[in-house]
């Protein structure tokens, strides 16, 4: 789907800009930007090929070191052909990248998966096509599905609005929405991924959460019996927070994915952002076939270490049912200590 959406976004860009192909784009400023229209169009192509290169080349620490340079004398028609070609390369990279592939991107967690690169490419295309069209006096509006794809992958912190395109414009400082303060600064968010010895903890996006709630796999390949009901329920809470505009993705839900085979075995995450005292609650579950191997302890240690290294987290706690002895052993091995008994069960705590 991501590759097809990249292709669709580029096709819409070409269709919108071709009526002005005979004009001098170097003499027209793109709407809302310091660049002229020629510079903006080159920027689109430059981002598309950079994303394709990083994803296909599995870059880990920086962008692949090369620069896009047009041949001298390239006209606007040739520039559009470059955008078409670089878009095709990104679409191909997205379609062929293995599920677990992640590559470098600086914001905000220094990596992105194939859906993230697709969403970033689409964002660059549709937003800057809008800027170009505005400067050139052309009509342009992408399909709503493209804007929704970007919002649910890159803007999990932005409350969805009734119109996906206008919400994306607002989220990128390009428009207004009733009841919301206009933005002068913005940044997108690829999903956070944390590393453990045998697992990766992969942040679940609103798009993945919606699919899990609907009975799908959320884009993960699960072992038999997965995902467990607890992961679907937690995804429902994530989706509710997203729709309410209070979701903080770093304090959301993570899928537990085995390094050895790329298959998901469970979920772990927070019940919400830390409170004013820096307290946050953690919950987790495993598919039955993944239990008894120490995975839950490993995941809980990794997530706890990451959380307590933050300035806004001082205490983590978890509630375990009284008769759930395996889970009590998990929290104890992860360093939590029992502090009280509550109606829901036994309360455990881990302090910075």
């Amino acid at each position: 789907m991501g590759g097809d959406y990249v292709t669709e976004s580029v096709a819409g860009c070409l269709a919108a800009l071709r009526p002005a192909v005979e004009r001098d784009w170097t003499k027209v400023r793109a709407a809302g930007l310091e660049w002229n229209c020629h510079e903006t169009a080159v920027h689109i192509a430059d981002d598309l090929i950079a994303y394709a290169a990083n994803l296909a080349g599995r870059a880990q620490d920086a962008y692949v070191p090369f620069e896009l340079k047009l041949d001298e004398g390239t006209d606007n028609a040739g520039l559009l052909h470059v955008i078409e070609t670089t878009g095709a390369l990104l679409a191909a990279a997205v379609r062929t990248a293995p599920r677990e592939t992640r590559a470098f991107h600086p914001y905000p967690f220094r990596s992105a998966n194939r859906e993230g690169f697709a969403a970033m490419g689409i964002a660059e295309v549709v937003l800057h096509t809008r800027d170009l069209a505005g400067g050139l006096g052309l009509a342009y509006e992408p399909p709503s599905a493209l804007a929704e794809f970007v919002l649910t992958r890159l803007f999990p912190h932005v409350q969805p609005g009734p119109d996906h395109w206008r919400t994306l414009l607002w989220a990128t400082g390009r428009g207004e929405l009733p009841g919301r303060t206009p933005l002068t600064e913005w940044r997108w968010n690829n999903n956070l991924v944390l590393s453990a010895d045998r697992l990766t903890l992969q942040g679940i996006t609103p798009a993945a959460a919606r699919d899990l709630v609907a009975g799908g796999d959320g884009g993960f390949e699960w072992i038999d019996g997965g995902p467990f009901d607890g992961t679907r329920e937690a995804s429902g809470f994530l989706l509710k927070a997203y729709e309410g505009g209070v979701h903080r993705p770093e304090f959301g839900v993570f899928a537990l994915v085995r390094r050895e085979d790329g298959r998901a075995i469970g979920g772990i995450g927070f019940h919400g952002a830390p409170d004013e005292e820096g307290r946050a609650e953690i919950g987790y579950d495993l598919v039955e076939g993944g239990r008894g191997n120490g995975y839950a302890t490993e995941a809980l240690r990794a997530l706890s270490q990451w959380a307590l290294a933050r300035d806004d987290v001082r205490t983590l706690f978890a509630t375990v049912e009284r008769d759930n002895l395996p889970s009590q052993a998990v929290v104890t091995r992860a360093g939590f200590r029992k502090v009280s008994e509550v109606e829901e069960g036994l309360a455990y705590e881990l302090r910075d």
Side-chain angles (χ1 to χ4, degrees), residues 44 83 105 110 142 178 197 206 209 212 216 220 234 240 243 285 290 306:
I44 294 174
I83 292 175
H105 186 275
R110 299 189 65 78
D197 290 339
L212 285 164
F220 300 95
K240 184 177 180 180
E243 293 172 346
D285 65 28
W306 173 85

Side-chain angles (χ1 to χ4, degrees), residues 304-305 307-311 313-316 350-352:
S304 299
Q305 182 179 11
L308 290 173
R310 297 174 57 93
D311 293 335
V313 179
R314 297 183 180 88
T315 307
L316 300 174
L350 179 64
R351 290 181 175 273
D352 184 6

Side-chain angles (χ1 to χ4, degrees), residues 45-278:
D46 196 32
D47 278 345
L48 290 172
I49 191 61
Y51 295 160
N54 270 28
L55 183 59
R58 313 294 193 263
Q60 295 301 305
D61 301 312
Y63 283 107
V64 177
F66 72 96
E67 182 178 359
L68 176 69
K69 184 178 180 180
L70 301 181
D71 289 344
E72 186 175 350
T74 300
D75 59 10
N76 293 335
L79 178 50
L80 290 183
H81 191 193
V82 173
I83 292 175
E84 182 177 23
T85 303
T86 54
L89 291 172
L90 176 57
V94 170
R95 292 187 182 109
T96 57
R99 184 191 301 265
E100 290 302 299
T101 300
R102 294 191 73 84
F104 172 81
H105 186 275
Y107 302 133
F109 304 119
R110 299 189 65 78
S111 72
N113 61 11
R114 60 188 185 184
E115 277 201 0
F117 276 103
M120 290 188 292
I122 294 165
E124 296 289 353
V125 172
V126 299
L127 292 169
H128 287 313
T129 300
R130 175 262 183 193
D131 302 335
L132 284 160
L136 294 167
L138 302 170
Y140 173 74
E141 181 171 331
S144 178
L146 296 182
E148 183 181 18
F149 185 89
V150 173
L151 287 168
T152 54
R153 273 78 177 176
L154 300 182
F155 293 89
H157 53 292
V158 171
Q159 182 178 19
D163 184 300
H164 299 306
W165 174 233
R166 275 145 194 87
T167 300
L168 180 58
L169 292 177
W170 173 83
T172 56
R174 287 173 166 82
E176 297 183 358
L177 281 180
R180 303 194 194 185
T181 302
L183 297 180
T184 57
E185 295 182 357
W186 60 274
R187 179 174 291 179
W188 58 44
N189 282 264
N190 281 291
N191 66 326
L192 172 63
V193 173
L194 303 175
S195 294
D197 290 339
R198 297 172 295 164
L199 303 169
T200 56
L201 285 62
Q202 301 186 17
I204 292 177
T205 65
R210 182 174 296 150
D211 187 59
L212 285 164
V213 170
D217 59 16
F220 300 95
E221 183 181 357
W222 294 84
I223 64 173
D224 291 343
F228 199 66
D229 291 343
T231 300
R232 295 196 189 279
E233 183 179 9
S235 296
F237 292 135
L238 185 161
L239 193 59
K240 184 177 180 180
Y242 168 66
E243 293 172 346
V246 296
H247 177 48
R248 288 180 60 182
E250 66 270 35
F251 290 104
V253 184
F254 299 79
L256 306 181
V257 180
R258 291 191 304 214
R259 292 182 183 276
E260 66 182 46
D261 57 6
R263 302 185 73 184
I265 61 170
I268 191 170
F270 300 93
H271 291 205
D275 62 19
E276 295 179 355
E277 297 179 353

